[in-house]
Amino acid sequence: MDIPRIFNITESAHRIHNPFTPDKFATLGAALRLEAGTRVLDLGSGSGEMLCTWARDHGVIGTGIDMSPLFTAQAKLRAEELGVAHQVRFIHGDAAGHVSDEKAGVAACVGATWIAGGVAGTIELLERSLRPGGIILIGEPYWRQLPPTVDVAKECFATSISDFLVLHELVASFGNLGYDVVEMVLADQDGWDRYEAAKWLTMRRWLEANPDDEFAAEVRAKLSSEPARYAAYTREYLGWGVFALMRR
Ligand code: SAH
């Protein structure tokens, strides 16, 4: 079981697989006023940076589940490196439908809400692993500026303008689902650069090391087109943030 290979190539050197930077995860951890011993569940935990740094900085415990064997292996190494391997566990698997036996104080899906068919389905899924009074974290894109045409939306890898909302609509949508938005931390364009531009050097190095790979032509084409596409579209039009929710 694995995610499409292109992500394992382009994001192999990423610690954080979204437009957050380490300071944003630190800000979020502080904003949530995490207490030592709080159990955190993370669906689509990637390379485990959020869980590992929060375990180190706030003494949380918890579990991350991710479908990429590569990212899961990197998460385990990171836990060892930060000396928190006794606090956090990383499981390679499909997080769709995952409900944990031990209820969490924080249940998160940070940049992977397709796991349960979108934001509403993901909130419902996380709720089933949450203890009463717990906090749900949703990491999700929104339109920083509404794209003027559907073609511009497609350049941001959306299928249509309606794939995403503008920020105030996204925030209001959580209310419509019966949740208070109790905190939020938003990425900025520098963070987008860390996420997107870091892929370019990784692709370049990968091409040099794997010239005869069957994926080489695809990676070559991507490296040639991505910087200009990103600068013109994603960087300008797409925002991203993590929203902390508590049921009303
Ligand atoms: N939350 C992480 C990773 C976000 S990227 C971070 O902030 O760094 C999205 C992640 O979802 C990737 O790591 C990908 O491997 C994982 N993923 C995709 N589909 C999944 C599924 N069905 N179950 C579990 N993880 C999945």
Side-chain angles (χ1 to χ4, degrees):
M1 185 194 305
D2 204 345
I3 58 172
R5 187 173 172 217
I6 191 71
F7 300 111
N8 285 322
I9 295 172
T10 59
E11 299 189 26
S12 61
H14 284 54
R15 270 201 184 129
I16 299 173
H17 304 265
N18 69 54
F20 257 22
T21 43
D23 59 305
K24 294 285 181 180
F25 270 131
T27 298
L28 179 61
L32 295 175
R33 305 169 205 172
L34 294 167
E35 285 171 13
T38 299
R39 181 175 297 280
V40 181
L41 173 68
D42 191 8
L43 302 186
S45 43
S47 300
E49 193 67 4
M50 182 179 83
L51 269 179
C52 289
T53 55
W54 287 0
R56 178 194 62 193
D57 299 340
H58 301 286
V60 305
I61 59 170
T63 304
I65 299 165
D66 199 279
M67 203 146 107
S68 164
L70 174 68
F71 299 168
T72 306
Q74 289 178 166
K76 289 177 182 171
L77 285 175
R78 187 68 173 147
E80 296 282 349
E81 187 182 27
L82 296 187
V84 296
H86 57 293
Q87 286 162 264
V88 292
R89 193 162 57 114
F90 291 100
I91 300 169
H92 169 236
D94 188 349
H98 177 89
V99 177
S100 48
D101 299 333
E102 292 174 301
K103 299 300 173 220
V106 175
C109 181
V110 175
T113 54
W114 59 84
I115 283 174
V119 169
T122 300
I123 290 175
E124 255 177 60
L125 175 61
L126 292 171
E127 185 69 53
R128 292 164 61 199
S129 296
L130 197 66
R131 67 163 173 71
I135 291 179
I136 287 179
L137 297 180
I138 295 286
E140 186 69 4
Y142 58 87
W143 294 122
R144 218 178 136 247
Q145 297 180 58
L146 205 59
T149 64
V150 67
D151 287 339
V152 170
K154 286 183 176 162
E155 292 284 2
C156 301
F157 299 140
T159 57
S160 73
I161 296 173
S162 63
D163 280 11
F164 305 122
L165 302 171
V166 295
L167 179 60
H168 72 87
E169 291 171 339
L170 179 59
V171 168
S173 77
F174 296 123
N176 295 337
L177 292 168
Y179 285 82
D180 286 326
V181 179
V182 296
E183 257 296 356
M184 71 175 190
V185 177
L186 304 181
D188 57 23
Q189 286 170 303
D190 291 337
W192 270 111
D193 295 346
R194 288 309 82 236
Y195 178 45
E196 294 293 338
K199 297 175 190 175
W200 310 336
L201 181 57
T202 303
M203 285 196 273
R204 176 62 198 244
R205 295 252 162 95
W206 184 90
L207 280 168
E208 281 165 11
N210 301 276
D212 301 322
D213 192 282
E214 57 178 14
F215 253 61
E218 187 178 326
V219 172
R220 177 67 252 172
K222 229 176 159 51
L223 176 56
S224 300
S225 61
E226 268 297 289
R229 182 208 62 79
Y230 164 70
Y233 299 108
T234 302
R235 193 176 199 278
E236 287 308 307
Y237 288 97
L238 218 51
W240 195 89
V242 178
F243 303 87
L245 314 174
M246 292 177 78
R247 212 222 281 263
R248 282 184 183 144

